[in-house]
Amino acid sequence: MVNGELVIWEGENLQRPIHEIHCQNVINGTSLEVLLNEIQHNDWIFRRDERIRYSFEKMKSVHIEDIPYLSPEVVLLYKAKDTRAKDQEDFLRVVDFLSSEEKKWLQTAMQLHMPHHKWLELL
C-alpha cells in the first residue's frame, strides 16, 4: 500500500512509509495482511508516534497451546485510533486482565498520542 492505494509489488526493496503488505490468493480468494514495524535497540517503535516505544521482547507472548500473539496493550493502542464498537468491546473485555505494568504503559502511550481518548478514564 502506498499513500492509501494498493500497488503491485514488483520485487523492489520496501522503504518507509510502506508499512503494510496485502496478499491475496487468486485461486481461492484468501488474503493475508502483513504489518511492518520499526525496531531500534530492541525496542519496537509505534509508527504513528515515534515517542512511543516498547520492549520487543514484551510485545509477543505465546498461549499455553503454543499459539503466538501480540501483547494486548499494543493491540489496544492500535485499536484506539478510530474506535469502532468492536474495538470498544475488545477494550472492555481485555482491560481487567492487563497487569498494572501493561495498563500503565498503555495509559502513558495514550496520554502522549491521544490525550483525550475515552479509554484513559478506565485505565
Side-chain angles (χ1 to χ4, degrees):
M1 202 167 226
V2 177
N3 297 323
E5 292 186 35
L6 292 176
V7 295
I8 302 285
W9 179 54
E10 304 284 341
E12 68 276 11
N13 286 336
L14 300 177
Q15 302 292 325
R16 286 175 74 176
I18 295 172
H19 60 271
E20 299 177 34
I21 301 171
H22 295 259
C23 309
Q24 185 167 7
N25 184 322
V26 294
I27 296 171
N28 65 18
T30 58
S31 61
L32 171 71
E33 178 183 34
V34 178
L35 301 176
L36 306 173
N37 291 278
E38 299 293 322
I39 295 176
Q40 184 179 65
H41 305 295
N42 209 32
D43 282 342
W44 163 81
I45 303 168
F46 185 47
R47 68 176 173 78
R48 295 178 186 159
D49 189 331
E50 293 186 2
R51 298 174 297 171
I52 300 170
R53 294 165 183 249
Y54 202 57
S55 166
F56 185 68
E57 292 304 315
K58 292 181 181 179
M59 282 195 61
K60 54 191 183 322
S61 297
V62 179
H63 186 270
I64 195 167
E65 297 174 2
D66 287 334
I67 300 169
Y69 63 94
L70 189 60
S71 296
E73 62 275 21
V74 174
V75 174
L76 290 173
L77 180 61
Y78 275 109
K79 288 176 159 284
K81 180 182 177 193
D82 295 312
T83 309
R84 302 164 293 184
K86 69 181 230 155
D87 300 321
Q88 181 68 22
E89 290 171 19
D90 288 345
F91 175 81
L92 293 173
R93 192 175 299 121
V94 170
V95 69
D96 291 336
F97 292 98
L98 296 177
S99 71
S100 58
E101 180 183 334
E102 293 163 342
K103 284 181 185 177
K104 183 65 178 166
W105 179 86
L106 180 58
Q107 179 185 45
T108 301
M110 290 183 67
Q111 285 171 335
L112 278 172
H113 188 62
M114 295 167 264
H116 304 292
H117 198 284
K118 61 185 175 183
W119 290 352
L120 285 168
E121 298 171 12
L122 301 173
L123 290 168

